Amino acid sequence: MRILTAALALLVSLSAYAQASCPSLQWSVVDESTTREWVHWLESVDYDEDGELDLVGIADYPMTDALVWWKGAGDGTFGDATEIASATFLSNPIVAELTGDAHLDVAVVSSNTGNLMIYPGTGSGRGAAINNYFGNFPSRLFPVNMDTDSTSEIAVSYSWGFGVYDRVSGFFMQTAFEETPEDVFSGAIVSADFDGDTHFDIAITLSEPSDDGAGATDRVAVYFRNANGTYSAPVTISTPQPFDLTTADLDADGDRDLVVANWIEGTWDPSTIAVIRNTGNRTFSSTSLVTDIPGSLGDAVQVEVAEVTGDNHLDLIVTVVNGSWIATFPGLGNGTFRTPSFFDNGSHVGIVALADFTGDGTLDIAAGATTKIYSLTRACATQVQLYTEAPVITQGTDAILHASISGWRTGVTAPFGTVSLREGATELVNGVLSSSGTISFTLSGLSLGDHTLHAVFSGNSEIAGGTSVNVVQKVTTTQTSVTIGTPNAPKHGKPFSVSLAIENAGYDWVDVKIDGGTSFRKFTSTALSLTLAAGQHTIEARYPGGAFTPRSPWALLTFSVAKDTPSIAINGSLAAREGSAHELSVTVSTTGTLGAPTGNVHFYEDGTTTWLGTSALVNGTASFSRTFTRGSHAIRFVYAGDANFAGVSADARAEVLPNFAFALDARSLANGIQIYALPMQDTNTASLQLQRRVYGTSSWQNVAGFTGMTSGVDTSVARGVAYEYQMIGTITGGTPIVSNPDAAVFFTDDTLTAGTRIKRAHYDELATAVNLMRAQAGLPVFTFDAHYTTPGLIRASHLTSLRTALTEARTALGMTTPAMSSVTAGAAVQLVHMTDTRDLAR
């Protein structure tokens, strides 16, 4: 994509220019030549070596690519395309001295063979193709002479790295290779001595794929070559979606700088190039230049450096696709540039080559487009760009137009000059340019119909006057409006959708502002996706208008985003030996994308009756340590919430097991019997197996599904039956060990609910559970009084006596007994009375 190095371009222009320099220039078409399809690579060379510059490039032919030659006549005209070679995919044509015979050669890469096909110069034309196997298909090639011989080396980028190829025994062999970061695409590449140590370094564009096209981690990486041929870790300069790269000394300080064309695709951000100045000591400073025609958007794909304005300063020539124009930035010699002028003839220009095609000592442009090759010559002239924000407006609304002047530099001194906005010979309004070389006009009260407008710049001490092309401002009675749909219960940090519709315009782009911020564009065929913080927000939307439909007024929607409800989870073992602390943590998390919950988590026992402590969230986690008495404790963790997150809570039971070497606890739950086990400490337990038997029998059976587990729920039990459990642990290098036994009853009608009738079976099961605890405590069996036997009555005193026996057992086991709901003698026993007694006997 590059016909001349910047240094060669400068030498050509300095030796040839006799005319005065101009701060702004415009390009005009000298000739056009046909080609069958899109031209997407272009270079200049005297291909047939007849003394006249020709063009070579790659044209995208049907079902194949072709390396093509356009013969130059020496007057800026070219003949029709002549095919040199074809393949399913060709790329990277380069012009350099590659064969060591002092003649410029032409080379191209073929994906069919992985070959670099070299067409050598002979002094009287081209020799037969020389195939040089690369092995891997490159992204880009850059020829550069890194040593003292006459043959260029080739710096090559691949998707995973870059290599340097040198000519050895007539073939190019890889003499260095450097791998770039994984999942990063290596693109354009250049080579130069960026740090002045006489070793040629590598600069390469690196891009990381992203869903939104933002390219936030894209960059240019400069790899500095060491004396032993290796490369140091790269210095990186961030730049969005880099596509093309070139190097030159833009500020004449002796250090090579870089220029990057950024193909900013998928957004409505302006197209830019990055000017990366070398500030010495392997450091760089980057600034951006907008390459878009005012009021238009495109994608920069190629940047060239050459001296074209006659002031001995290097200039920038940028091609922009999806807008298809050429932007020329006159250089000021210090790494900064004047405002650009544009060549745009609607021909979908995508690639250029610079050379003196007319033989007059000045550089011309050859531009490749769809089915055309154009040759362009320059003229010193100021370009006035006039555009309207909305080509069509509704009668009674304002027309807003802007004008900008090419060749403007930062720091130009007043007077800046005036701009007159005219319709035909009638001046509608005028004004003085701003210090940036721009001016805006607001026209009110335009009549129905078409108004053909142009702007006239008066000129100033640096820049000549100029006149813009005509712009048509349409005024109609048609009206448009934008409807903003109401979001459906949006929450903090969670994506939600908002529909946008345009009345009287169908699907189209709309300008959108969120909370009064910078506007962006959204196509209305799909809903707008947003992620916002909790609180009140606004959406503003406006249809900017089209070629036949007017702009709408701004529509406004005010709405609220609710706090997010986070997830809360308890971490750590809920079982501990008597005398040991429970070490627990609470994680409060969200699937949202706007930060983690902050604030405090409170720790309670028995709902929120007894406060046990408070801990702040650190990276979403709060930690707690608490030593409980023997038994089961209902605990609750409560996250208090913050500005963006609602409060939530989590309940659990903390179990304190007997202080045995291998401790087990069995508890009745609504869905089975919960098992907690704590294996021996400081041992290497190879396996665990839970065993079960009906209480009072002698036959132990393995419980399926509990191998290697220390907790779980045994659901394969019958209600109303007492079961005894133990855990067998096999120790590596030792004998099996057995935990303490523990027993529990799987209650009938668990949990008791309103409307459940209290039955004798409920009392019997509860008595069994109490006697299991009394047996564990070494206390005698509890029995009801004689009135309980059939057909005796069930009295409140039976539950009271049962509670007394339960409290006695818990006390003997070192367990506290919280207050239970009171039972009145002679009154009916209620469900709550049975439930709280069951909870203490489980």
Side-chain angles (χ1 to χ4, degrees):
M1 298 169 71
R2 198 144 284 106
I3 66 154
L4 298 168
T5 67
L8 179 57
L10 181 58
L11 288 175
V12 170
S13 60
L14 290 183
S15 64
Y17 274 129
Q19 68 271 43
S21 64
C22 60
S24 180
L25 58 79
Q26 297 187 40
W27 299 95
S28 59
V29 175
V30 175
D31 184 49
E32 62 182 60
S33 302
T34 59
T35 182
R36 283 178 285 177
E37 292 293 336
W38 177 44
V39 178
H40 55 96
W41 299 82
L42 201 60
E43 298 288 343
S44 172
V45 66
D46 184 1
Y47 186 77
D48 56 0
E49 298 188 326
D50 66 350
E52 304 293 352
L53 283 175
D54 310 312
L55 292 171
V56 293
I58 295 175
D60 189 8
Y61 283 12
M63 305 302 293
T64 187
D65 286 344
L67 178 63
V68 176
W69 163 43
W70 293 268
K71 180 174 175 55
D75 58 359
T77 64
F78 297 93
D80 291 338
T82 300
E83 183 178 309
I84 301 169
S86 63
T88 54
F89 187 71
L90 294 174
S91 70
N92 289 286
I94 58 174
V95 175
E97 214 291 64
L98 302 174
T99 55
D101 60 2
H103 296 292
L104 286 177
D105 308 304
V106 175
V108 67
V109 176
S110 167
S111 66
N112 285 353
T113 61
N115 283 340
L116 177 73
M117 300 186 297
I118 302 172
Y119 295 87
T122 65
S124 58
R126 296 289 128 182
I130 302 170
N131 290 320
N132 195 113
Y133 184 61
F134 267 13
N136 295 304
F137 193 65
S139 301
R140 299 284 183 88
L141 272 60
F142 183 81
V144 61
N145 196 339
M146 296 183 177
D147 48 35
T148 58
D149 63 15
S150 61
T151 305
S152 293
E153 289 75 45
I154 304 176
V156 181
S157 67
Y158 300 102
S159 59
W160 62 92
F162 66 85
V164 176
Y165 287 76
D166 200 355
R167 188 169 180 266
V168 179
S169 300
F171 289 93
F172 282 92
M173 307 293 291
Q174 189 179 90
T175 56
F177 181 80
E178 188 76 15
E179 189 172 337
T180 49
E182 188 176 0
D183 298 325
V184 174
F185 179 76
S186 303
I189 185 171
V190 296
S191 180
D193 181 6
F194 292 108
D195 56 358
D197 64 354
T198 72
H199 303 303
F200 271 68
D201 311 305
I202 295 291
I204 191 168
T205 63
L206 300 177
S207 302
E208 296 188 45
S210 61
D211 293 336
D212 60 3
T217 56
D218 294 346
R219 56 207 182 269
V220 173
V222 182
Y223 290 79
F224 291 94
R225 187 165 186 170
N226 303 313
N228 62 359
T230 62
Y231 291 89
S232 60
V235 173
T236 60
I237 308 98
S238 177
T239 189
Q241 302 182 57
F243 188 79
D244 192 29
L245 178 67
T246 191
T247 178
D249 183 4
L250 300 174
D251 51 10
D253 64 354
D255 294 323
R256 296 297 290 259
D257 307 303
L258 294 162
V259 188
V260 186
N262 299 314
W263 188 324
I264 305 180
E265 190 176 26
T267 73
W268 279 89
D269 294 327
S271 174
T272 64
I273 55 173
V275 177
I276 302 173
R277 293 176 60 190
N278 187 341
T279 53
N281 298 317
R282 298 187 174 184
T283 61
F284 298 85
S285 175
S286 180
T287 57
S288 292
L289 300 176
V290 175
T291 63
D292 289 338
I293 294 176
S296 302
L297 290 172
D299 302 303
V301 295
Q302 180 191 4
V303 58
E304 299 287 346
V305 180
E307 210 291 81
V308 295
T309 57
D311 59 2
N312 300 344
H313 302 317
L314 290 175
D315 311 307
L316 304 179
I317 297 91
V318 185
T319 62
V320 181
V321 298
N322 298 328
S324 302
W325 58 76
I326 301 170
T328 303
F329 292 84
L332 292 168
N334 59 358
T336 66
F337 298 85
R338 295 179 182 271
T339 55
S341 59
F342 302 93
F343 170 80
D344 179 14
N345 68 344
S347 57
H348 298 285
V349 171
I351 199 77
V352 298
L354 274 70
D356 181 8
F357 297 113
T358 57
D360 62 357
T362 63
L363 292 179
D364 307 302
I365 290 178
T370 53
T371 73
K372 295 285 186 179
I373 290 288
Y374 295 93
S375 58
L376 311 177
T377 187
R378 48 142 281 178
C380 187
T382 302
Q383 191 174 70
V384 180
Q385 290 286 336
L386 177 68
Y387 74 97
T388 174
E389 287 190 0
V392 183
I393 62 171
T394 302
Q395 188 179 25
T397 61
D398 294 338
I400 301 174
L401 296 97
H402 304 272
S404 60
I405 308 302
S406 66
W408 202 272
R409 66 174 175 85
T410 301
V412 64
T413 56
F416 301 136
T418 61
V419 176
S420 171
L421 184 61
R422 302 177 183 180
E423 183 172 11
T426 303
E427 182 180 86
L428 302 180
V429 65
N430 66 65
V432 177
L433 280 173
S434 69
S435 59
S436 63
T438 61
I439 189 171
S440 298
F441 299 104
T442 300
L443 298 180
S444 302
L446 288 178
S447 60
L448 285 174
D450 292 351
H451 297 265
T452 302
L453 310 175
H454 67 278
V456 179
F457 171 50
S458 65
N460 59 33
S461 60
E462 285 192 18
I463 303 172
T467 300
S468 73
V469 298
N470 288 331
V471 170
V472 176
Q473 179 68 67
K474 296 178 178 293
V475 182
T476 179
T477 57
T478 302
Q479 296 182 345
T480 60
S481 61
V482 174
T483 301
I484 306 173
T486 302
N488 182 20
K491 291 187 176 182
H492 168 84
K494 302 291 183 65
F496 62 95
S497 297
V498 178
S499 62
L500 300 170
I502 310 170
E503 184 71 22
N504 294 330
Y507 292 128
D508 209 334
W509 295 95
V510 292
D511 297 320
V512 180
K513 291 192 288 189
I514 307 299
D515 296 330
T518 303
S519 66
F520 60 92
R521 287 202 166 174
K522 175 71 181 69
F523 202 74
T524 58
S525 60
T526 57
L528 176 67
S529 181
L530 297 174
T531 304
L532 299 174
Q536 192 174 76
H537 296 275
T538 61
I539 298 176
E540 296 173 86
R542 178 188 69 177
Y543 174 50
F548 305 102
T549 48
R551 179 172 60 190
S552 74
W554 285 98
L556 173 67
L557 174 70
T558 300
F559 63 99
S560 293
V561 174
K563 292 184 178 182
D564 181 21
T565 301
S567 299
I568 184 170
I570 302 173
N571 312 301
S573 176
L574 290 169
R577 289 180 176 84
E578 189 173 10
S580 298
H582 279 78
E583 303 293 339
L584 300 173
S585 66
V586 176
T587 301
V588 183
S589 59
T590 177
T591 58
T593 58
L594 295 181
T598 61
N600 296 322
V601 177
H602 303 292
F603 187 15
Y604 297 93
E605 185 175 6
D606 297 323
T608 57
T609 302
T610 305
W611 175 79
L612 301 179
T614 297
S615 179
L617 288 172
V618 178
N619 297 324
T621 299
S623 299
F624 299 88
S625 178
R626 184 75 180 184
T627 302
F628 293 100
T629 59
R630 172 76 185 278
S632 181
H633 299 262
I635 59 175
R636 173 175 292 177
F637 292 98
V638 178
Y639 168 58
D642 63 13
N644 294 311
F645 294 91
V648 289
S649 64
D651 293 306
R653 300 198 75 90
E655 303 292 337
V656 180
L657 279 60
N659 193 10
F660 300 143
F662 193 174
L664 179 141
D665 184 79
R667 286 183 48 79
S668 178
L669 298 180
N671 62 330
I673 295 178
Q674 172 76 57
I675 304 299
Y676 296 98
L678 293 174
M680 291 185 65
Q681 298 171 329
D682 302 323
T683 61
N684 185 3
T685 305
S687 65
L688 296 172
Q689 176 62 60
L690 180 68
Q691 295 185 331
R692 180 188 72 198
R693 67 183 179 185
V694 175
Y695 189 79
T697 64
S698 59
S699 178
W700 289 99
Q701 302 291 328
N702 290 340
V703 181
F706 277 81
T707 302
M709 298 179 65
T710 57
S711 66
V713 180
D714 182 10
T715 58
S716 61
V717 289
R719 294 187 183 275
V721 179
Y723 292 93
E724 191 172 19
Y725 292 86
Q726 68 179 14
M727 187 77 78
I728 305 294
T730 302
I731 307 300
T732 302
T735 59
I737 59 172
V738 182
S739 72
N740 65 292
D742 198 23
V745 178
F746 186 25
F747 292 122
T748 302
D749 299 326
D750 193 344
T751 304
L752 294 172
T753 58
T756 302
R757 184 178 180 183
I758 298 176
K759 306 172 185 177
R760 186 181 297 274
H762 297 150
Y763 273 85
D764 292 340
E765 292 171 359
L766 187 54
T768 300
V770 169
N771 281 323
L772 292 177
M773 294 186 69
R774 291 180 67 83
Q776 188 179 11
L779 297 174
V781 174
F782 162 81
T783 58
F784 290 107
D785 62 34
H787 294 288
Y788 183 78
T789 59
T790 305
L793 299 175
I794 302 175
R795 302 176 178 178
S797 61
H798 296 141
L799 182 60
T800 302
S801 61
L802 197 66
R803 285 179 167 182
T804 301
L806 172 62
T807 300
E808 185 181 11
R810 289 178 64 89
T811 301
L813 292 171
M815 302 165 66
T816 60
T817 302
M820 291 177 279
S821 56
S822 61
V823 180
T824 304
V829 175
Q830 301 175 17
L831 293 182
V832 65
H833 301 144
M834 291 293 292
T835 298
D836 58 12
T837 308
R838 272 186 173 185
D839 288 343
L840 295 176
R842 289 185 183 275

